[in-house]
Amino acid sequence: MNLFLDAFAWLLDPASWQGPSSIAVRIGEHLFYTALAVLIGAAVAIPVGWLIGHTGRGREIAVGVAGAARALPSFGLLFLFVMIAGVLLRGPSTILVLVLLAVPPILAGAYAGLEVIDRRVIDAARAVGMTEWQILWKVEVPLGLPLLLGGLRGGTLQVVATAVLAAFVNLGGLGLPIVEGIALRDYGRMLGAAMLIIALALLLDALFAVLDRVAIPRGVRAGRVTDVRTASPRRRAAADPPATTEKETV
Amino acid sequence: MTWVLNNLEQIIELTLVHIRLSILPIVVGFLVSIPLGWVAHRYRHTRGLILTVVGLLYTIPSLALFVILPPVLGIPYTSEANVLIALSIYAVAIMARSMADALASVDPDITQAATAVGFSSWRRFWTVEFPLAGPVLLAGLRVVAVSTVSLLTVGVVVGVGSLGYLFTNGSQRGILASVLAGVVATVLIALVFDRVLALLGLWLMPWTRSERRARTSIVDPSRSATA
Amino acid sequence: MFTARNKGRYALVAAAVGASLALAGCAQGDPLDPGSGSEGSGEPIVVGSQAYYSNEIIAEIYAQALENAGFDVERTFNIGQRETYLPAIEGGEVDLFPEYTGNLLQYYVPDTEATTADEVYAELAVSLPDGLQVLDQSPATDQNSYNVTAEYAEANGLTTIADLANIEGGVVLGGRPELEKRPYGPTGLKEFYGVTATVQATGDTTVESLLEGVVDVGNVYSADPRIEQFGLVTLEDPKGLFLASNVVPLAAADLPQEVIDIIDEISAALTPEGLIGLNVRSTVDEESAEAIATDWLTENGFLG
């Protein structure tokens, strides 16, 4: 198809990779915003999620807040933040919008990971004399890792697709060639940039698949499989990664 | 807030348009995902392929999709069809995975029992697997609803009226109340859709009501998934 | 669990969903219908506008004037930027649209040499694709211009764009993302005035970015009230880097003569100061396009 040929022509044109507006720069910006937002989101959501999962308290509030956060339209939120904070703070504003997007899936992954653990395992840990702190670090956190990684993965994919927004406030990223492409009727440029974002998403997805293999102890994965086979259907549903596939991209 | 009061008529009008345009993609996403999810669940080797392709669709930036669809499909740029098709694609992308997960959540013992008492696979799907998959399916549908409502705002970039108009127009004219009203109205619609679907789920799947009361301490998938 | 009562509920929900979809379908008309090309007597006149508040006010003025004259009007406002809506007008979906001569000419003839209002209008009239026409141009203009803050102008002794060439290390230019590729962007600046500029895609935040010092020079539309509001200095353009860009109605070739007559009168009555006045009422007084249009038409004797 013609459009795709144009896209490849743009991607393969050496001129596209030179100078201050090179594709490489745009990819770098895009990844930087994504990484920063996911890291901040994780720093906020993981401790809170673990606290909720460990104590079993505050869940309703967290569910409510996270649900409302999911309903926020990132597109409007960015305009709102920049209008309130001013253009000098457009960077933090953009990151905040992306963080708000990353938090709900990570939070859900963090507390769901702890909640699906068989209560008897926790009781056993307590029985052998572990402190609450030890229970959290040595039992709950490793066992909750698969769901947490699932949440991180979902959050990252949403953020990488939504970081397009940065282009609306002079922060570049791969959204810029898309916005330029629309304005210049240069669909090759636009489609090429969209394809790069998809490629980045695939790459990050693969990264999480590797992490999943490397970071999760063998025993946890084996235990998880048996758990899935024996648990009741509703319980098993909960053991699946939380639905992190919300779409909120621009 | 005087701006909101002075422009209440327009805000309400845009809200109604927004609601109207949100419904179709949600329904299409649900209907199309049933066969897709079923194939992915039934034929295990296709699961990876289907869910990967569908997952790919979901990472396409909507801004790009809105502009690329018209020349590809030969539809007018300014038509609502453009935005409706794009949002339906995203809805399918989310829902197909939910559908496959939901079917996988059905206890194999139950489906085997249904087969053993002589249910055809068609009848077994509609009367056993599909209803039992309901709670997880509902969770997915609620995510689709919230995200469709939120995503529709981007449609304003190609001129399809929605609450997104309050964002772009308000930002150009420097009217903070306009942007804020747009964000609040969008969130409200999303939350109302979410509640309606949750209540609909309780009404259509009365058996989930008693179960919820009985198992309050255990993770409730329909809640954790939308949380 | 799959009781008769439940079956009834499923049927009810299915029926409700079906009905709401049918409603949605009716309300939006036929989304696949590319629109009617010709204007029958009973067909409404479709007036469009850009996703630009000022353009929307002009479109609303057209629409209300036509309604007052007894025409059936349909509004499809806010259809993105030129690159999105021109295909829609060329395809016959829209009959009447407020445009700007210079920007429109540059869309059809990117390397045009015309600069004055009359040159631009004359070339535009012969450069349009079949099926389109421009009506009389208005004295009101809204064109691209380069602006700096008063302090920056004073500190660097700036009055014309050419003076920017004296600034060491070049200047940072803020504007829409596509400015980089526009003929009046960095390439044109270098060619016409020997100015070295790099572009920042400040988009809708150009004026704010200029005021905050994020960029040195901002590409702002000349009818933007904020130029006066914030005391910005518009740099003179003696060599005609920017094309004159007057408000001009772009119309379907088969637009009825009665409509053309009404619109021509409006164009004649709309002055440059008048246009800025309309914009002020939108951005400063935060009034709706509808109210602003009604007032303008009343003041200028088109209504009542």
Side-chain angles (χ1 to χ4, degrees):
Chain A
M1 248 171 75
N2 237 346
L3 274 177
F4 285 94
L5 285 181
D6 289 348
F8 280 112
W10 178 71
L11 284 174
L12 297 175
D13 181 1
S16 306
W17 294 84
Q18 279 160 9
S21 55
S22 137
I23 295 176
V25 174
R26 300 286 166 248
I27 293 177
E29 288 164 342
H30 206 92
L31 281 177
F32 174 70
Y33 302 140
T34 305
L36 194 59
V38 171
L39 284 179
I40 296 175
V44 174
I46 295 178
V48 175
W50 280 347
L51 188 72
I52 293 168
H54 181 74
T55 60
R57 275 188 225 123
R59 188 168 176 283
E60 292 303 316
I61 300 170
V63 169
V65 170
R70 274 208 167 133
L72 287 170
S74 305
F75 187 53
L77 217 53
L78 181 62
F79 284 129
L80 191 67
F81 288 170
V82 172
M83 282 174 94
I84 293 173
V87 285
L88 288 182
L89 292 175
R90 62 195 185 284
S93 295
T94 308
I95 296 296
L96 180 59
V97 169
L98 296 178
V99 167
L100 284 174
L101 201 64
V103 161
I106 300 176
L107 185 67
Y111 71 63
L114 264 55
E115 279 178 339
V116 294
I117 299 168
D118 194 330
R119 285 295 112 189
R120 285 170 297 184
V121 174
I122 314 276
D123 292 342
R126 205 162 274 139
V128 298
M130 281 190 176
T131 63
E132 290 301 307
W133 198 243
Q134 284 174 321
I135 292 175
L136 178 66
W137 280 108
K138 296 196 164 162
V139 180
E140 291 183 312
V141 167
L143 285 175
L145 217 48
L147 282 190
L148 177 62
L149 276 178
L152 278 169
R153 172 187 161 275
T156 306
L157 293 189
Q158 274 178 49
V159 171
V160 82
T162 311
V164 169
L165 280 177
F168 281 93
V169 288
N170 187 23
L171 288 174
L174 285 170
L176 189 55
I178 294 184
V179 178
E180 282 176 342
I182 291 175
L184 300 167
R185 278 211 298 186
D186 182 351
Y187 296 148
R189 171 186 297 262
M190 187 182 63
L191 189 61
M195 281 160 49
L196 281 177
I197 292 172
I198 296 170
L200 280 187
L202 273 178
L203 214 67
L204 290 169
D205 201 27
L207 189 73
F208 274 100
V210 172
L211 264 183
D212 199 68
R213 294 219 157 265
V214 175
I216 296 171
R218 240 167 215 286
V220 173
R221 212 167 326 166
R224 193 179 161 213
V225 172
T226 34
D227 178 56
V228 165
R229 286 226 182 94
T230 50
S232 84
R234 303 201 71 217
R235 180 73 176 285
R236 194 175 325 138
D240 275 344
T244 46
T245 44
E246 194 204 347
K247 172 78 187 174
E248 239 266 56
T249 327
V250 206
Chain B
M1 283 302 99
T2 42
W3 186 89
V4 172
L5 291 176
N6 290 338
N7 294 272
L8 203 57
E9 201 179 321
Q10 189 190 23
I11 297 173
I12 291 173
E13 194 180 312
L14 288 170
T15 303
L16 292 178
V17 172
H18 203 100
I19 292 173
R20 175 168 67 76
L21 291 177
S22 301
I23 293 175
L24 187 79
I26 298 172
V27 174
V28 169
F30 182 68
L31 295 181
V32 173
S33 71
I34 294 177
L36 265 182
W38 180 81
V39 171
H41 172 67
R42 179 78 172 67
Y43 304 98
R44 284 286 158 154
H45 55 280
T46 66
R47 185 186 158 96
L49 180 71
I50 290 180
L51 294 187
T52 304
V53 170
V54 153
L56 266 182
L57 288 178
Y58 144 79
T59 57
I60 306 174
S62 58
L63 202 58
L65 195 57
F66 287 151
V67 182
I68 290 204
L69 272 181
V72 170
L73 298 178
I75 52 175
Y77 280 92
T78 58
S79 71
E80 289 180 351
N82 178 14
V83 170
L84 291 177
I85 292 170
L87 291 181
S88 297
I89 289 175
Y90 292 130
V92 170
I94 301 174
M95 237 5 243
R97 175 175 277 277
S98 283
M99 187 73 204
D101 287 350
L103 290 175
S105 77
V106 177
D107 194 332
D109 295 344
I110 296 178
T111 48
Q112 277 164 22
T115 313
V117 297
F119 277 36
S120 68
S121 62
W122 176 258
R123 187 171 162 216
R124 190 189 71 199
F125 178 79
W126 288 111
T127 60
V128 179
E129 295 182 79
F130 190 67
L132 280 177
V136 181
L137 210 54
L138 177 66
L141 195 61
R142 288 168 67 180
V143 173
V144 170
V146 169
S147 90
T148 301
V149 168
S150 168
L151 203 54
L152 179 58
T153 56
V154 183
V156 73
V157 176
V158 287
V160 170
S162 74
L163 287 165
Y165 173 82
L166 296 177
F167 302 161
T168 49
N169 187 268
S171 142
Q172 275 180 8
R173 297 164 62 194
I175 304 177
L176 188 67
S178 166
V179 182
L180 189 60
V183 170
V184 170
T186 310
V187 172
L188 283 181
I189 298 178
L191 294 182
V192 166
F193 271 34
D194 187 60
R195 271 335 291 163
V196 167
L197 283 173
L199 292 174
L200 212 59
L202 283 182
W203 190 54
L204 291 177
M205 300 179 289
W207 62 91
T208 56
R209 265 176 284 192
S210 48
E211 208 170 332
R212 169 166 299 179
R213 268 197 297 275
R215 321 187 59 179
T216 43
S217 66
I218 295 295
V219 161
D220 176 357
S222 69
R223 300 302 291 272
S224 71
T226 28
Chain C
M1 73 179 43
F2 205 67
T3 60
R5 193 172 61 141
N6 261 348
K7 258 185 194 159
R9 287 180 181 181
Y10 297 139
L12 205 61
V13 169
V17 167
S20 63
L21 287 186
L23 265 178
C26 291
Q28 77 192 54
D30 184 355
L32 297 171
D33 180 7
S36 55
S38 66
E39 213 49 59
S41 53
E43 294 274 320
I45 292 173
V46 183
V47 181
S49 91
Q50 296 179 350
Y52 170 38
Y53 69 92
S54 174
N55 191 267
E56 194 177 318
I57 298 170
I58 303 173
E60 180 65 30
I61 289 177
Y62 293 169
Q64 286 188 17
L66 293 179
E67 278 171 343
N68 185 57
F71 288 96
D72 198 6
V73 174
E74 192 182 312
R75 294 167 172 79
T76 49
F77 286 179
N78 196 49
I79 13 184
Q81 298 169 42
R82 191 163 288 108
E83 289 72 13
T84 323
Y85 65 71
L86 274 185
I89 304 177
E90 288 165 14
E93 292 168 58
V94 179
D95 302 310
L96 184 62
F97 203 105
E99 256 291 359
Y100 306 91
T101 51
N103 293 334
L104 188 59
L105 177 61
Q106 249 173 358
Y107 178 88
Y108 286 115
V109 190
D111 50 358
T112 176
E113 310 238 311
T115 52
T116 68
D118 290 335
E119 281 170 15
V120 170
Y121 184 74
E123 190 176 348
L124 178 62
V126 296
S127 307
L128 291 174
D130 286 345
L132 290 185
Q133 60 171 333
V134 281
L135 310 185
D136 289 354
Q137 63 176 335
S138 161
T141 62
D142 198 358
Q143 64 196 52
N144 289 293
S145 67
Y146 284 140
N147 297 266
V148 294
T149 59
E151 300 79 56
Y152 191 79
E154 200 173 329
N156 295 285
L158 305 173
T159 45
T160 75
I161 300 177
D163 297 335
L164 290 173
N166 303 328
I167 295 174
E168 246 174 83
V171 292
V172 180
L173 197 60
R176 304 202 65 84
E178 67 273 17
L179 178 60
E180 173 111 48
K181 309 281 185 299
R182 294 290 189 204
Y184 47 81
T187 326
L189 272 174
K190 187 89 202 161
E191 205 176 296
F192 279 65
Y193 294 107
V195 175
T196 311
T198 50
V199 171
Q200 294 266 311
T202 46
D204 282 340
T205 62
T206 300
V207 173
E208 290 85 346
S209 301
L210 188 61
L211 294 172
E212 297 283 3
V214 176
V215 296
D216 305 323
V217 182
N219 176 13
V220 184
Y221 289 128
S222 57
D224 192 322
R226 289 175 298 180
I227 292 178
E228 205 191 312
Q229 194 183 341
F230 296 115
L232 300 182
V233 176
T234 301
L235 298 175
E236 287 164 30
D237 178 23
K239 294 187 182 169
L241 173 64
F242 292 112
L243 279 67
S245 222
N246 292 49
V247 173
V248 71
L250 179 66
D254 56 359
L255 198 70
Q257 191 57 45
E258 307 96 282
V259 174
I260 294 177
D261 292 343
I262 296 171
I263 302 299
D264 280 348
E265 276 181 61
I266 291 174
S267 295
L270 187 62
T271 61
E273 302 74 33
L275 180 58
I276 296 175
L278 296 177
N279 293 347
V280 168
R281 291 193 55 183
S282 179
T283 58
V284 179
D285 306 334
E286 304 188 352
E287 289 183 61
S288 70
E290 218 175 350
I292 299 171
T294 308
D295 287 354
W296 187 87
L297 284 166
T298 314
E299 283 159 23
N300 288 275
F302 289 96
L303 292 185

